[in-house]
Amino acid sequence: MNPAQVDAYLRRLGVPRPALPTVDVLRELHLRHLQTVPFENLSIHLGEEIVLEEKRLLDKVVGAGRGGFCYELNGLFGALLAALGFEVALLSARVYGDGGRVGIPYDHLALWVRTVDGSVWLADVGFGTHSHYPLAFEERGEQADPGGEFRIAESATPGDLPDLPDLQGLADPTDLDVVRNGKPEYRLETRPRVLGDFVATAWWQTTSPASHFTQSLVCSRLTDDGGRITLSGRGLTVTAPDGTRDVRELATDEEVLAVYRERFGIELEEVPKVRAPA
């Protein structure tokens, strides 16, 4: 990522170029990313190709003012952080699903980040509802965040987390579980990866009838007051910081396009509709 691209990305986030890759800078970039770049899967249903290459991701997120899902958002955010002087590694994770079972390999992409003072953080701007700020990677106790109570724990056994099957046989001893409000969200591998490692699973996520990304539409971002706004099809949900929700159905295409434009900064010529995989 060249200096002009870095500056354009920072303008999108509304953050000035930092002097040093400090913890405070990382926290600000993380929060502003969640507030300005939506988590969305619209490309799948608009027939747009998703390419996990830095230039293509810059064109989409910075040039076109769009969002994306984990591989796109964390992949590009990691490139920005590296260009600003942070030490960054891409990590693969398997997302917990129904019944406390972990998903497929490369199900999710998260970021290991080291700052100038040597502290290490888990950054994740591509999981939807998650922590507002990076989590201390080496801390094993509870971490309070506006998004909930988080814990990074050694890979789970039935004694570590309640109501989980014995998954120890599926876990590498170095794996970590990321837990929110007592519920495991994903199992994180600590081996560094490259963006190309995620291409096959990203293709599956965008083409398989079994992928939840192909079954529904979502566009969501953190609001400036710490709440969240989400548009799923024609359903608009505005969640206040205290968790209260206002849910309504948008009646017309014009209303839907106006919400994309005014609340997410996304200009669309047509209303996205769920496309069944061919």
Side-chain angles (χ1 to χ4, degrees):
M1 194 177 296
N2 64 43
Q5 292 168 331
V6 170
D7 289 340
Y9 200 159
L10 292 173
R11 283 196 299 273
R12 169 91 206 268
L13 302 182
V15 177
R17 181 182 277 269
L20 290 171
T22 65
V23 175
D24 287 343
V25 167
L26 177 61
R27 286 171 57 85
E28 181 182 23
L29 289 169
H30 197 278
L31 180 64
R32 288 298 297 152
H33 209 288
L34 292 169
Q35 293 171 336
T36 58
V37 182
F39 178 89
E40 51 109 329
N41 68 341
L42 304 183
S43 289
I44 297 170
H45 304 288
L46 291 170
E48 300 171 348
E49 186 181 18
I50 294 175
V51 181
L52 299 187
E53 296 174 359
E54 185 177 301
K55 174 62 166 59
R56 294 289 294 271
L57 296 179
L58 278 166
D59 288 344
K60 179 179 180 180
V61 173
V62 178
R66 289 282 300 279
F69 61 166
C70 70
Y71 311 111
E72 301 171 284
L73 299 183
N74 282 326
L76 193 59
F77 188 50
L80 173 67
L81 294 177
L84 292 172
F86 293 92
E87 186 180 347
V88 180
L90 309 186
L91 301 182
S92 171
R94 300 165 68 187
V95 178
Y96 278 95
D98 296 338
R101 300 189 66 83
V102 288
I104 59 177
Y106 300 102
D107 204 12
H108 181 59
L109 188 163
L111 300 171
W112 176 101
V113 183
R114 192 195 304 273
T115 60
V116 69
D117 67 353
S119 61
V120 180
W121 302 85
L122 176 66
D124 193 341
V125 296
F127 197 70
T129 302
H130 194 61
S131 66
H132 296 192
Y133 296 101
L135 302 174
F137 195 87
E138 297 171 342
E139 171 61 50
R140 296 293 175 262
E142 295 291 337
Q143 300 189 48
D145 181 271
E149 290 287 331
F150 288 84
R151 181 160 59 96
I152 300 176
E154 306 300 327
S155 52
T157 66
D160 294 327
L161 294 170
D163 304 322
L164 283 181
D166 185 355
L167 301 175
Q168 189 64 20
L170 300 177
D172 185 281
T174 62
D175 286 353
L176 299 169
D177 282 308
V178 178
V179 182
R180 176 175 178 257
N181 295 335
K183 181 179 179 181
E185 293 197 310
Y186 53 78
R187 173 161 288 172
L188 193 67
E189 298 178 3
T190 55
R191 174 186 172 185
R193 304 291 182 175
V194 297
L195 193 55
D197 291 337
F198 297 87
V199 168
T201 305
W203 175 84
W204 182 89
Q205 297 280 23
T206 60
T207 60
S208 171
S211 167
H212 64 90
F213 288 112
T214 65
Q215 298 172 20
S216 62
L217 286 156
V218 64
C219 185
S220 183
R221 69 170 180 84
L222 197 67
T223 53
D224 291 348
D225 62 1
R228 178 166 289 275
I229 180 169
T230 301
L231 182 59
S232 181
R234 292 186 180 275
L236 177 64
T237 302
V238 180
T239 305
D242 65 1
T244 58
R245 306 198 317 166
D246 175 47
V247 182
R248 64 189 179 96
E249 195 78 4
L250 302 179
T252 67
D253 286 0
E254 289 72 20
E255 286 182 279
V256 174
L257 292 175
V259 169
Y260 279 124
R261 182 176 60 252
E262 296 167 9
R263 304 303 298 271
F264 297 101
I266 296 177
E267 292 280 355
L268 297 176
E269 295 181 356
E270 61 177 315
V271 173
K273 295 178 174 59
V274 173
R275 293 189 179 192

